[in-house]
Every structure is written in structure tokens, then in C-alpha cells.
Amino acid sequence: MGSIPAQLIIASDHTVVVNGDRTLWVWGSNRYGQIGNGIRTPAPCPTPAQVLWSPGTSAHLSAVIATAAGAHHTLTVRDDGSVWAWGRNNSGQVGDRTRVHRSLPVQVGRLTDTVSVAAGRSHSVALREDGTVWAWGANDWGQLGNGVVEPRSRGRPVQVHGSGNSGFLSDIVAIAAGGSHTLALSKDGTVWSWGYDSRGELGHGGTVIDDVTGMRLLATGVPGPVAGLEEIAAIAAGIAYSIALKTDGTIWAWGRNDSGQLGDGTTTDRGTPAQTRGVGEVVSVSAGHRHTVVALADGTAWAWGSNQYGQLGVGGAHSCVPQSVIVDEATAVAAGAGHTVALKRDGTVWAWGRNDSGQLGDGTSNQSGTPHPCLFVTTPRPVSDFAAIGGDTMVWLTWKNPVANDFEAVRILRSTTRHAIGPDDREGQTPIYEGAQMSCSNAGLSNGSTYYWTAFARDTAENWSIRAVAVATPVHDRTAPKGTVAINGGTPTTRSAVVTLEAPAIDSDTGVMLMRISNSSALSSGLLTPARVHPYEHSVKWDLADHETGGSDAVGEHTVHVQWRDAAGNWSTVESATIRLESTQPGPGSKDSANVPVLVRDIERAS
């Protein structure tokens, strides 16, 4: 496997980030060694620390492709499919067949070809490449899914059983672990659950019945389907409640709701899924102890549930409906016991809420109800201003490359669904573009269909940034854009041949992409010729004395002519503006112009 974009995970009171170079960084509580730096201490760790590989060395854990954090332990998957764990181990949740707390990573035995992990309060779960699920740690509520509820815990992985305790669970594509229950997402879009069910968190509708007594059980070690759920794209589990994200971007929740963490406008527990109110198209969701947070496609973040420590990022008390968090450009979010963290499109990490263990990663232990940056920035840096404008059976994509000496290239992938492209898919698909330019077109699309593009930046060490997403719908557009032009803000005279063209243009359907600029009004096939082609901008430097487009530096009136082109390929009519040149200051096209600096960037001759 190759490198991955950054990932964001938080637990009760510590925060974990997988950087783009596949190293692991942790901050917050280290009472049980969950930071992974070889130390166990009750003192907070408020600054990001890199997880070590072995004691007495400077080597760090590397080649990480996935991670998870439980109440007081941490899990990770390396690119060879092995699983490593550290932190609290009172129930065997570290998986090394001991009950010894670990302050450095130890390998979880018997697990290979692992693709992801999940961690609950005292149990751990792994998903293998073949779609099977394995679990270890506490099993007092059946959270391991091995068919039994038992007081003993398991210090090594056991395979999760299938429906009706027959065979083994298979065809699973994602897993999540709550306090004492576990969720699994099948490739057919259904959700399976097992473990503790005191507040309806399994979503079985109170139908977990003892075969002998006929009474409702509070727990089951046998996976069962969540009632009424289909077309699910992602899952999350909190303390005694569960969340599912559907492919249409809607959120459904069930289980404990005393703080409004289900977001359905009530504080009533739900034994079956209920839709969360007033949330748009969700791209990332996380469930904490008693609060939920999501990131939307537009980059906004929303939160609901308990606000005891300011973890909602808004003022006031608990909220049983989603509240807008004052943070923008969010691509991923995570919720802990009393704090919340967001990963922004620029690669920065922001946090708010409880901070007594340094879990906000800002170098302090001061609680904050307002999002602010952590002392950590993911690398490589991602592209910025990624945008898509739909044309006729095509789309025009633009972006800004990261400003970094080690930047190498951008890779862009296309999908027809927002959630179809993730880190694991980046190297398994043929890109529609790969290179160091800052624009490209994508042709051969269907008008009226919505497409999604995902961009990853790569550095010279083959590390990948977090992803940027753009969306557009190609349209059959034959309407030309409209625009106006003014020279030097409409002033009648100038003392320099180098002027500023203020050239705003409008196209509500497919946007304006290019400009043709000329000192001549001559047309060829409806286009200014000769002319210079320039990427569209509202304000452009122009030389009245550009001889190649019919200009001169003679004193007198000069007229500049402009056309605009949209993403569908339509050119506007010609717009013109006139100004009188009164200066003897030469333009760049004259024989005396050698010492006159002129900026006319990104312009090329159009024939």
C-alpha cells in the first residue's frame, strides 16, 4: 500500500492524527501510556508527540494506514496488515495476551491483512481484507460478538460470529465501537450490531429476547441487523448510542438521547433509527460520549448533544438539534468525551471543549468553547481553492498548488458519488489528471449528471495530502457570457502605456474561464485576432503599446478590445474601452522601453 492522506481520531481524553507521511501523532492524557512515547504519567501531554517504535531509540512508528482510539488505549494498522496497540490493558484490549498497560506499541497476535480498526471503552475490533471481523478485550456485554456474554475478557482476537450465531460475519466494509457495543457495515449497505443494549444502541427495537425465558436482554453476543437501515455509507458509535450516514448525506441515530445526542429534537431514547433534524449533505460524522459532530459538503461543521465543556463550539447548554460551529473549510471531524476536533482543508487541526488532559493540543490545559488551532499541521499541505465549473459534456477544474519546496504533483480522481473516493481508492483508480499544473478539463461527461472530483497533493517523498473535493454538473450551454471593460477605472487619460483593465464578466451557468485581449478590433471567425489569451481575472495589466496585437505608444487615443470565454466554450461579443495616452513614458513595445517594468503574467499569443 502507498501513503495516505491525514486521518483524525479522538478518544475520551486523547487525540490521534495519522499524518500524510504515515507517522502517528498523539496528545492529551497519558495516564496509561496511550500517547505511545514510552512514558506513563498522570501529567497532561498538551503538545503533539510522535509515537515511538521501541524503547531507548529515536525510531518512530511508521507506515500507518489506519488508527483508532478507545477510552484509554490506541490501535493502529501498518501497511503490511499488522495491528499494533498500546495504553490501558486491564481487559486485554491491547491484545498481547497480558493485562499489563503498555506505553509503546506491541503487536496484536493472529491478525494479518487488516484494513481498519475500532476501539471501545475496553474492547478492540479489527476488519480484515476478506471482510471478516475480529475482536478482543472485555466481553461482559457481548461486545466481542463471539456468540456469548461472559465475565471473562479475551487477550487475543476472536472472530465475530454470523447472524443467529451461525458461521461468521462476512462481507463487512466498515466497523465502529461504542462504549460497550459494536457496529459493522455490510457491503450491501445494511448495518449489524451486538453488545450492550441498555438504551437501544443496538437498534434492534427491543427485540433481543432470551430464547429460554422469553425476556428482553440487555446485551447479546450475537450480531443482528439494525432495523430499517439500508444504503448506509458510514457508521459511528458513541457511549450507548449509534449513528449512520446514508448515501444521500442524511444522518440517522438511535440509542441514548438524554443530552439530545441523537439530534432528533427530543431527549427520548430511541430503540430504532430516527433521522437527525436539519443537517445538509454530510461527509464526515463522529459520535462522542454524549455529543455528535458532522462536517458538511460545504465545509461547515455542526454539533449537537451535551455542551458541558463547550464541546459543541457554541454558547449555551445542551442542544437536541444541530448547531452551527464557528469553523469553516472542515473536511473531517471527531468527538471525544468532552472535546471536539476538526481537520480543515488547509491541513490545520482545530479543537475546542474540555482540555484538562491537554487533549486540545494547544500547549495548555485551558478549556475552550471556541475552535482554535492545535500545535499541529498535517503534511504534505493540500491543494486549495479546488473548484469545478460544468460545461457542455465537460467540466473545467481549477486549484492552487501548495507552496512547498517538496511539492511534486496533484492527482485528481472522478466519481459519480461523493463518498466513492477515499484514501484507499486513490491508487486503485486511473486519474483524470496528474501533474503540477493548476487547471485541467474533463470531457466526455453526461449533461445533467452530477460528478465529484477528489484532489490529492503529493510530495517528493511520495506522501499524500488530505483530500479536496469539488462537484459540478455538466450542462448544455450555448449562452455566451457578458462583460464590461474599463481602463484605469474609467479615467479619460493616462501617462503610461501600461494600464489596468477592469474587466468583470458574468456567466451564471458555466462560469468565465478565459479572456482574449487585443489593441486591434479585427476579427477572425468571430474572435479577436491577433490577441493574447489570459486566464480570467477581474483586473489585468495591459500594454497599449503591444505591437503584436496592433498597439503603439503614440500620444493620442487608444482602444482596448476584450472577449470572454466560459467553460462550455462560448465566446462573448467584443467589449471595448478607450483612453488617451498623454505621456512620453514609453511602453514596452517601443525602442526606449528597456528599463520600463511591466507585469503581464500568464499571457500567451493567440493566433
Side-chain angles (χ1 to χ4, degrees), residues 289-334:
H289 275 205
R290 291 190 298 136
H291 79 290
T292 306
V293 60
V294 298
L296 302 191
D298 61 6
T300 60
W302 295 71
W304 56 94
S306 173
N307 200 30
Q308 181 178 359
Y309 303 100
Q311 62 262 49
L312 298 189
V314 297
H318 307 337
S319 176
C320 57
V321 294
Q323 301 290 324
S324 178
V325 182
I326 307 174
V327 63
D328 57 5
E329 303 295 308
T331 63
V333 287

Side-chain angles (χ1 to χ4, degrees), residues 7-100:
Q7 299 176 27
L8 182 68
I9 300 292
I10 66 178
S12 292
D13 49 12
H14 70 289
T15 304
V16 186
V17 174
V18 183
N19 201 16
D21 61 1
R22 296 188 298 168
T23 58
L24 200 65
W25 296 76
V26 189
W27 56 90
S29 174
N30 199 26
R31 182 177 297 274
Y32 298 98
Q34 57 264 52
I35 297 296
N37 58 356
I39 301 170
R40 284 175 53 199
T41 174
C45 181
T47 57
Q50 192 170 355
V51 176
L52 294 175
W53 185 245
S54 58
T57 74
S58 59
H60 295 96
L61 184 65
S62 60
V64 175
I65 62 169
T67 192
H72 304 292
H73 72 292
T74 311
L75 305 172
T76 194
V77 182
R78 300 189 73 227
D79 63 2
D80 61 1
S82 62
V83 178
W84 298 73
W86 58 99
R88 192 175 189 182
N89 198 25
N90 62 310
S91 297
Q93 59 264 51
V94 168
D96 64 349
R97 304 183 69 178
T98 77
R99 298 298 184 269
V100 178

Side-chain angles (χ1 to χ4, degrees), residues 4 66 85 171 185 192 266 276 303 339 362 370 399 425 441 447 485:
I4 62 170
D171 293 332
L185 173 61
W192 295 75
T266 77
T276 297
H339 76 296
D362 60 0
T370 303
W399 62 92
D425 303 311
S441 61
N447 286 337
V485 61

Side-chain angles (χ1 to χ4, degrees), residues 389-577:
I389 299 178
D392 188 7
T393 69
M394 59 84 66
V395 161
W396 186 264
L397 300 166
T398 61
W399 62 92
K400 292 181 181 177
N401 290 332
V403 180
N405 293 333
D406 59 351
F407 167 74
E408 184 173 71
V410 169
R411 178 176 292 180
I412 298 177
L413 305 171
R414 186 188 72 225
S415 172
T416 55
T417 58
R418 179 177 293 278
H419 304 288
I421 298 176
D424 295 338
D425 303 311
R426 190 199 55 252
E427 296 181 350
Q429 298 188 25
T430 301
I432 64 110
Y433 173 81
E434 185 160 358
Q437 300 298 318
M438 290 189 287
S439 65
C440 71
S441 61
N442 188 191
L445 308 178
S446 299
N447 286 337
S449 297
T450 299
Y451 294 86
Y452 299 86
W453 289 264
T454 302
F456 300 94
R458 184 182 72 234
D459 65 18
T460 53
E462 299 296 315
N463 300 313
W464 294 92
S465 72
I466 61 175
R467 65 183 181 180
V469 178
V471 58
T473 302
V475 295
H476 183 73
D477 179 20
R478 289 291 180 264
T479 303
K482 298 179 181 180
T484 59
V485 61
I487 304 175
N488 288 355
T491 57
T493 61
T494 179
R495 294 184 57 81
S496 172
V498 179
V499 297
T500 299
L501 303 183
E502 296 179 3
I506 297 175
D507 188 318
S508 59
D509 290 326
T510 54
V512 182
M513 307 305 301
L514 298 175
M515 307 167 66
R516 293 177 75 92
I517 310 173
S518 180
N519 287 316
S520 168
S521 62
L523 298 176
S524 175
S525 300
L527 299 179
L528 290 167
T529 306
R532 294 189 184 272
V533 177
H534 190 291
Y536 172 65
E537 291 182 286
H538 286 289
S539 180
V540 179
K541 292 290 185 182
W542 179 250
D543 180 18
L544 300 175
D546 180 8
H547 292 314
E548 292 189 2
T549 62
S552 75
D553 57 1
V555 172
E557 287 193 345
H558 293 256
T559 302
V560 180
H561 310 275
V562 181
Q563 285 179 293
W564 296 269
R565 200 204 79 172
D566 62 17
N570 304 307
W571 284 97
S572 72
T573 58
V574 176
E575 296 291 329
S576 305

